[in-house]
Amino acid sequence: MATFFSVVSGEIKMPFRMMSSTFCKFLSPIRSRTSFARSTVRVSTAGPGGINPTSLGVAPYKNRSMLPSFSLFSRTCSTQSTTAYFAPPTLKRKEALLDDYGFKLNDVKMDDIKVDIDNKQLLVSWTNGKTQIYPFVWLRDNCRCSECFHPEALNRLIQLHQIDVDVVAKSVDISPNGKTLTIHWEGDGHQSQFPSNWLLLYRFEDSHDDRLLNPKVQFWGSDVDFRRFDFGDLLADDGALYDWLTELVTLGIAVVKDAPRELGQLQKLAARVAFIRPFVYGLTCHVKSPNPNPLHSAYTTVPMAMHTDIAYYMREAGIVMLHCIQEAEGTDGESLISDGFKVALDLKRADPEAFQLLSKYQFEFFDTGREDHGEFHTHARHKTIKLDDRGEIEAVAFSDHSRDAMLRVPVNKVLPIYRALSKFYDMLLASENCLKYKLKAGEIMTLNNQRALHGRSAFQGSRHLEVGYMEWDEVNSRIRVLAKNLQNQP
Amino acid sequence: MATFFSVVSGEIKMPFRMMSSTFCKFLSPIRSRTSFARSTVRVSTAGPGGINPTSLGVAPYKNRSMLPSFSLFSRTCSTQSTTAYFAPPTLKRKEALLDDYGFKLNDVKMDDIKVDIDNKQLLVSWTNGKTQIYPFVWLRDNCRCSECFHPEALNRLIQLHQIDVDVVAKSVDISPNGKTLTIHWEGDGHQSQFPSNWLLLYRFEDSHDDRLLNPKVQFWGSDVDFRRFDFGDLLADDGALYDWLTELVTLGIAVVKDAPRELGQLQKLAARVAFIRPFVYGLTCHVKSPNPNPLHSAYTTVPMAMHTDIAYYMREAGIVMLHCIQEAEGTDGESLISDGFKVALDLKRADPEAFQLLSKYQFEFFDTGREDHGEFHTHARHKTIKLDDRGEIEAVAFSDHSRDAMLRVPVNKVLPIYRALSKFYDMLLASENCLKYKLKAGEIMTLNNQRALHGRSAFQGSRHLEVGYMEWDEVNSRIRVLAKNLQNQP
């Protein structure tokens, strides 16, 4: 009989040589080598040999019967290793989510289960008296045994067309301690196990939302007390990096101070997250004014109306970073910045019709020229205020200087749309909303480019900014990783 | 009196030294130095000096009265130079668009104009008997004189809050030849001129759509006769490049053949467009199977269900390029590819409820690991079938192997959603839809990743792909530029 390993009561039995960084991935919420050292999980050797975990999810999929060790593994895996197959919220986040439901993480217990054959679903009652429903097809689809889910790649192996959507359980059991649900399936005799706390975290009704995809934000006006982060700290300290990125999620504005007054600093900052998002201008654009051959009005000394950057992209930038290398003399050339979410909500209250028009119709934007990647001609369209399926504001996008004349709306809507836009603009510029801030050399203004609008006043003489972008996908990824590694922040 | 230049009958009078590449930008549709040589526009010198066009849009904005040359320019600019301030469709495209309306490009004439003061709009009757309405605020907003629009940067200079949305004309005139509309505005005495063909192109009712943002596509099944492009041709020939990119717009599938069988070729191909889109895996991912420590099930030898790539990004990739460096032995490891748009429309006809469910509810996707940019944890949610505001399919997004268990839907929708997804999947795999193609070493499969789903069958032995992405924003930009430069293709 092949050697196997099992997980019981937080103790993992396996050959020590398997404790590679890849195998550590199994252990949740501690999945990287670094984090593993902080864990309390004990590891010991089971038997003289060991199977290679890499092959776990692979071979049995192709020929289950040839590898009895596999079935053994999948049948003996306990709740803890099953949980480990997910990419879960961080430990603290899990604790908070279950606390809301009246449970401690390690205290979630099933009290009773009922099978509802007619509706092909399972009803789970918890010891706190509440109940949740789990459709059988969802349970079968999310079996985390190593035949169905690659334990190392953390990818689903079973394909949708291999699942009977009308599947029901042959038998269902809960363990005596109420912490493990075991299902024997009709048909192929497959068996799945689910830990109680995982079931509760993944409940259907009133399930928790992803806090980075639907973040709670703080609105602000011209008196915003934004935070200032030291450039050197951000390069060296994960805690500072986490604070800066979460500040961009929450407030959408922060200043990085004491950066070297030379090109190339944005790339260093972005490398701490992932990378600069390239665009047709290259990795960054160099807003050096006055420019004798301005490709864009940003390269002149004229005032710039409030805007979000690169609206001429369908995929507008997530985060804009404006690095001031040389500031304009005197007080000229101030940055003007407003919280587009706050102003849009104000508009909704003050003039619901205007809000509705700006969240329904699209303006078009374009840009042309020749830069690092050659000649370009970008063209995009955006609603000024973008709502998600719940009707909540998820982005603002507008740029007067790159707005095209083409307006594909019913002609009788044109005047109302201009009225609405004009009202929104006046509110963005109102003294209670519009922050005026003169960037100093060595400072990097960082903004949520899908929320904060920025502009500038006119100036005389020279001024030099380097401007670059990052995307929320990579920023959110970095936040999740940092949260996990930094003492399991929520 | 300051020197000025004017445009009459296609002849531009200006100091020859101003014929820099920047000034050539004024001339539409010929805007780059290269294209200029092909144009029929004649250039001659007007007077001994010349104003610097760079300053045109800048200085007068700040102090209009100081630069009479400016007013002269803006008042003497003819229809042709006014047209030139836009980033227009290519010449052939313009011709086609106006031909639809019953006009030749240089033959669009106004017959009559009527002012509708009550509704603050202008009615323009054409010599073909049709009429279009133009709201005054839109006309004022889109004045292309150099005070309102930077003639070099092609950016709007006038800011929205500087425009009276209730503006009306003091007087309106059409030129004797019916080709120029001149408006004197109430209030500041500003004057705007509009060429007839521009007005018709930018009409409100029944205006032309952007053919790249709403492309006409050709649906296909497993018998698709996709085109094959030579790698060397794409690097050397703009015509081949244009054909390949437009094929990706239209059909969404093409093969590039005879690429070197080594890493780094995708970067070369992407550099002809703009650049590779980086992601958490780096610039590309190296799908080398079998991998002893698979970060992802793609790195194994198991079958891969039909999917769009990187569904764990909110910003899913536009175009996926799969470069086969080493093919699997024998016939194993075939690529399976289906047209997601065609199958989604088939589903809509066969089962409207299933279509509705897949275009309403979102699945969630995640990926974790450690790659070029360090540890990552991406998480995104997508509707399987995404509809635009018109109810038309604009994207499909699905990936079973990276699908999360979290399903934030009403629990009574779960079984119907699985049924719908299962049906969609069965249709994707049906023999009439699913193309089976064994990639050979040196071939690059290129797909619209928001339309075509791809997977692979299992294989034995080794296989090596390099996979990289491009974005539609940059691809569409390149197509527009190529269309302009290549004999004005539509």
Side-chain angles (χ1 to χ4, degrees):
Chain A
M1 185 175 134
T3 308
F4 63 94
F5 52 90
S6 63
V7 183
V8 183
S9 312
E11 181 173 2
I12 298 179
K13 295 182 181 178
M14 62 178 182
F16 192 76
R17 65 176 170 77
M18 288 167 60
M19 243 191 64
S20 66
S21 61
T22 56
F23 190 73
C24 290
K25 281 187 170 184
F26 290 24
L27 308 174
S28 172
I30 304 113
R31 295 183 54 234
S32 77
R33 196 192 307 243
T34 315
S35 305
F36 189 83
R38 298 183 191 167
S39 82
T40 57
V41 177
R42 287 163 48 210
V43 178
S44 60
T45 303
I51 56 172
N52 179 356
T54 302
S55 64
L56 284 183
V58 183
Y61 182 81
K62 301 195 68 157
N63 192 343
R64 182 186 308 182
S65 63
M66 286 181 64
L67 280 167
S69 62
F70 255 23
S71 299
L72 266 171
F73 170 69
S74 72
R75 301 224 189 280
T76 59
C77 66
S78 80
T79 63
Q80 179 154 350
S81 68
T82 306
T83 309
Y85 288 1
F86 295 85
T90 61
L91 183 56
K92 282 199 178 176
R93 174 97 180 121
K94 274 194 203 175
E95 284 170 350
L97 289 166
L98 293 182
D99 196 49
D100 286 348
Y101 202 82
F103 276 119
K104 296 296 170 198
L105 181 63
N106 293 318
D107 198 36
V108 178
K109 290 180 187 170
M110 290 173 274
D111 184 49
D112 194 19
I113 45 175
K114 282 183 186 151
V115 171
D116 173 2
I117 290 287
D118 287 349
N119 295 304
K120 294 164 187 163
Q121 61 193 16
L122 186 71
L123 280 67
V124 174
S125 302
W126 311 99
T127 52
N128 66 359
K130 296 178 182 172
T131 297
Q132 290 290 337
I133 296 172
Y134 299 92
F136 279 125
V137 64
W138 178 84
L139 289 163
R140 179 65 192 88
D141 177 47
N142 289 297
C143 176
R144 272 359 188 203
C145 85
S146 53
E147 294 175 27
C148 296
F149 198 78
H150 197 296
E152 186 174 2
L154 296 183
N155 284 156
R156 179 181 271 98
L157 288 168
I158 190 166
Q159 296 186 23
L160 195 74
H161 63 274
Q162 299 170 306
I163 297 176
D164 173 10
V165 294
D166 291 305
V167 67
V168 290
K170 186 163 70 180
S171 71
V172 185
D173 301 293
I174 46 176
S175 59
N177 66 1
K179 289 191 172 184
T180 306
L181 171 71
T182 303
I183 302 179
H184 291 263
W185 297 103
E186 284 285 1
D188 64 359
H190 196 79
Q191 175 182 320
S192 303
Q193 284 189 323
F194 301 93
S196 55
N197 56 9
W198 182 83
L199 280 173
L200 195 48
L201 279 167
Y202 280 75
R203 67 187 180 272
F204 282 87
E205 303 300 340
D206 191 31
S207 59
H208 68 275
D209 206 347
D210 183 287
R211 72 193 185 87
L212 291 175
L213 299 184
N214 283 92
K216 284 197 173 64
V217 301
Q218 291 170 25
F219 301 116
W220 46 270
S222 53
D223 60 347
V224 57
D225 185 23
F226 58 79
R227 288 179 66 178
R228 299 166 63 80
F229 297 89
D230 183 80
F231 183 80
D233 287 352
L234 293 181
L235 294 196
D237 177 29
D238 280 359
L241 186 64
Y242 177 85
D243 288 347
W244 172 50
L245 297 177
T246 53
E247 192 75 356
L248 286 170
V249 169
T250 311
L251 206 61
I253 178 172
V255 164
V256 178
K257 62 186 175 68
D258 295 333
R261 301 173 186 194
E262 55 193 45
L263 295 173
Q265 306 313 306
L266 298 182
Q267 285 89 326
K268 290 183 195 167
L269 206 51
R272 285 282 287 153
V273 176
F275 49 80
I276 290 260
R277 165 209 161 124
F279 71 132
V280 287
Y281 281 71
L283 277 181
T284 61
C285 58
H286 303 287
V287 182
K288 200 168 183 176
S289 308
N291 183 320
N293 299 84
L295 187 62
H296 191 284
S297 52
Y299 294 10
T300 67
T301 60
V302 303
M304 296 285 287
M306 304 288 262
H307 62 279
T308 55
D309 266 15
I310 66 170
Y312 41 79
Y313 262 80
M314 292 303 293
R315 309 199 158 219
E316 72 277 35
I319 287 155
V320 54
M321 303 182 289
L322 306 150
H323 180 202
C324 183
I325 294 167
Q326 184 191 342
E327 65 198 67
E329 285 178 29
T331 56
D332 285 351
E334 280 181 321
S335 292
L336 314 175
I337 304 167
S338 291
D339 180 355
F341 285 6
K342 188 256 187 192
V343 176
L345 283 175
D346 286 349
L347 179 69
K348 188 176 184 179
R349 276 185 291 268
D351 190 339
E353 190 203 353
F355 180 88
Q356 194 268 342
L357 288 167
L358 296 185
S359 59
K360 176 172 182 179
Y361 293 107
Q362 298 184 111
F363 291 97
E364 308 211 1
F365 307 90
F366 76 95
D367 195 27
T368 58
R370 182 184 291 278
E371 262 288 357
D372 287 17
H373 298 292
E375 196 178 350
F376 62 83
H377 179 169
T378 48
H379 183 158
R381 51 179 68 151
H382 295 283
K383 295 169 186 170
T384 308
I385 300 167
K386 300 185 194 184
L387 305 180
D388 64 18
D389 285 346
R390 312 172 196 205
E392 287 172 15
I393 300 169
E394 64 177 5
V396 294
F398 195 76
S399 172
D400 229 19
H401 52 264
S402 58
R403 180 159 54 87
D404 193 20
M406 185 55 85
L407 190 56
R408 295 182 179 86
V409 303
V411 69
N412 66 352
K413 293 291 183 194
V414 174
L415 190 53
I417 286 171
Y418 270 94
R419 275 195 217 290
L421 192 59
S422 184
K423 197 159 196 169
F424 184 53
Y425 244 65
D426 286 346
M427 290 169 71
L428 286 169
L429 290 168
S431 61
E432 69 269 24
N433 291 324
C434 182
L435 167 72
K436 293 183 180 177
Y437 184 80
K438 176 73 185 285
L439 264 181
K440 286 166 275 295
E443 287 184 333
I444 304 171
M445 176 62 75
T446 58
L447 300 169
N448 177 348
N449 186 57
Q450 292 163 22
R451 174 181 173 187
L453 293 100
H454 67 281
R456 67 151 189 249
S457 59
F459 58 92
Q460 304 287 345
S462 300
R463 179 171 176 264
H464 188 185
L465 298 186
E466 184 170 24
V467 182
Y469 307 105
M470 294 191 297
E471 291 294 3
W472 280 112
D473 276 306
E474 283 90 15
V475 169
N476 286 347
S477 167
R478 180 59 55 219
I479 290 174
R480 290 188 189 95
V481 169
L482 289 169
K484 175 175 67 72
N485 293 342
L486 288 165
Q487 303 146 352
N488 266 295
Q489 299 208 5
Chain B
M1 186 176 133
T3 310
F4 61 94
F5 53 91
S6 61
V7 183
V8 183
S9 312
E11 180 174 1
I12 297 178
K13 297 181 178 177
M14 61 175 181
F16 192 75
R17 63 177 172 78
M18 288 167 58
M19 244 192 64
S20 65
S21 63
T22 57
F23 190 72
C24 291
K25 280 188 169 183
F26 290 24
L27 310 175
S28 170
I30 304 112
R31 294 185 55 234
S32 77
R33 198 192 305 245
T34 315
S35 306
F36 190 83
R38 298 182 191 168
S39 82
T40 57
V41 176
R42 288 162 47 210
V43 178
S44 60
T45 303
I51 56 170
N52 179 355
T54 302
S55 65
L56 285 182
V58 182
Y61 182 81
K62 302 196 69 160
N63 190 343
R64 180 187 309 181
S65 62
M66 285 180 64
L67 279 167
S69 62
F70 248 29
S71 297
L72 266 171
F73 170 70
S74 70
R75 300 219 192 284
T76 59
C77 65
S78 78
T79 63
Q80 181 155 350
S81 70
T82 306
T83 309
Y85 289 2
F86 294 85
T90 61
L91 183 57
K92 282 200 180 175
R93 174 96 179 123
K94 275 195 208 175
E95 284 170 349
L97 289 166
L98 293 181
D99 196 50
D100 286 348
Y101 200 81
F103 275 118
K104 296 297 170 197
L105 180 63
N106 293 318
D107 197 36
V108 178
K109 290 180 188 170
M110 288 173 274
D111 185 46
D112 192 18
I113 47 174
K114 282 184 188 152
V115 170
D116 174 1
I117 290 288
D118 288 350
N119 295 305
K120 294 164 186 163
Q121 62 192 17
L122 185 72
L123 281 67
V124 174
S125 301
W126 310 98
T127 52
N128 66 358
K130 295 178 183 172
T131 297
Q132 289 289 338
I133 296 172
Y134 298 92
F136 279 124
V137 64
W138 179 84
L139 290 164
R140 180 64 190 91
D141 177 47
N142 289 296
C143 176
R144 274 353 191 208
C145 86
S146 54
E147 294 174 27
C148 295
F149 198 78
H150 198 296
E152 187 174 2
L154 297 183
N155 283 156
R156 181 180 271 100
L157 287 167
I158 191 166
Q159 295 186 23
L160 195 74
H161 62 275
Q162 299 169 306
I163 297 176
D164 173 12
V165 294
D166 292 305
V167 68
V168 291
K170 188 165 68 181
S171 71
V172 184
D173 302 293
I174 46 175
S175 59
N177 65 1
K179 288 192 172 184
T180 306
L181 171 70
T182 303
I183 302 179
H184 291 264
W185 296 103
E186 283 286 1
D188 64 359
H190 196 80
Q191 177 183 317
S192 302
Q193 284 189 324
F194 302 93
S196 55
N197 55 9
W198 181 84
L199 281 173
L200 196 48
L201 279 167
Y202 280 74
R203 66 188 181 271
F204 283 86
E205 302 301 339
D206 192 31
S207 58
H208 67 275
D209 206 347
D210 184 287
R211 74 192 183 89
L212 291 175
L213 298 184
N214 282 93
K216 284 198 172 65
V217 301
Q218 291 169 25
F219 300 116
W220 46 270
S222 53
D223 59 348
V224 57
D225 185 23
F226 59 79
R227 289 178 65 179
R228 298 165 65 80
F229 297 89
D230 182 80
F231 183 81
D233 287 351
L234 293 181
L235 295 195
D237 177 30
D238 279 359
L241 186 64
Y242 178 85
D243 288 347
W244 172 50
L245 296 178
T246 53
E247 192 75 356
L248 285 171
V249 170
T250 312
L251 205 63
I253 178 172
V255 164
V256 178
K257 62 186 174 68
D258 294 333
R261 301 173 187 195
E262 55 193 46
L263 294 173
Q265 306 313 306
L266 299 182
Q267 285 89 327
K268 290 183 194 167
L269 206 52
R272 286 281 288 154
V273 175
F275 48 80
I276 289 260
R277 165 210 162 123
F279 71 132
V280 288
Y281 281 71
L283 278 180
T284 61
C285 59
H286 303 287
V287 182
K288 199 166 182 176
S289 308
N291 183 321
N293 299 88
L295 188 61
H296 191 285
S297 51
Y299 295 9
T300 67
T301 60
V302 303
M304 296 285 288
M306 302 289 260
H307 62 280
T308 55
D309 266 16
I310 65 169
Y312 41 79
Y313 262 78
M314 291 303 291
R315 308 197 159 220
E316 72 276 36
I319 288 155
V320 54
M321 302 182 289
L322 306 151
H323 180 202
C324 183
I325 294 168
Q326 184 192 341
E327 65 199 67
E329 286 177 29
T331 56
D332 285 351
E334 278 183 321
S335 292
L336 314 175
I337 305 167
S338 291
D339 180 355
F341 284 6
K342 188 257 187 191
V343 176
L345 284 175
D346 286 350
L347 179 69
K348 189 177 183 179
R349 277 186 290 269
D351 190 341
E353 189 204 355
F355 180 86
Q356 195 268 342
L357 288 168
L358 296 185
S359 59
K360 176 172 182 179
Y361 293 107
Q362 299 183 110
F363 290 97
E364 309 212 0
F365 307 90
F366 76 95
D367 195 28
T368 60
R370 183 184 290 276
E371 259 289 357
D372 287 16
H373 298 291
E375 195 178 351
F376 62 83
H377 179 169
T378 49
H379 183 157
R381 51 179 70 152
H382 295 283
K383 294 167 186 171
T384 307
I385 300 167
K386 298 185 195 187
L387 305 180
D388 64 18
D389 285 346
R390 313 172 196 204
E392 288 171 14
I393 301 169
E394 64 178 4
V396 294
F398 195 76
S399 172
D400 229 19
H401 52 264
S402 58
R403 181 159 53 89
D404 194 20
M406 184 56 83
L407 190 56
R408 293 181 181 86
V409 304
V411 69
N412 65 354
K413 294 289 182 194
V414 174
L415 189 53
I417 286 172
Y418 271 94
R419 275 196 216 289
L421 191 61
S422 183
K423 197 158 196 170
F424 184 54
Y425 243 66
D426 285 346
M427 290 169 72
L428 285 169
L429 289 169
S431 61
E432 68 270 24
N433 291 323
C434 182
L435 167 72
K436 293 184 181 178
Y437 184 80
K438 175 76 184 282
L439 264 181
K440 286 166 273 297
E443 287 185 332
I444 304 171
M445 175 62 74
T446 59
L447 300 169
N448 177 348
N449 187 55
Q450 292 163 23
R451 175 180 172 186
L453 293 99
H454 67 281
R456 67 149 190 251
S457 60
F459 58 92
Q460 303 287 343
S462 299
R463 180 172 178 262
H464 188 185
L465 299 186
E466 184 171 23
V467 181
Y469 308 105
M470 294 191 297
E471 290 293 4
W472 281 111
D473 276 306
E474 284 90 16
V475 170
N476 286 347
S477 167
R478 180 60 55 219
I479 289 174
R480 290 188 188 96
V481 169
L482 289 169
K484 175 174 68 70
N485 294 341
L486 289 164
Q487 304 145 350
N488 266 295
Q489 298 207 6

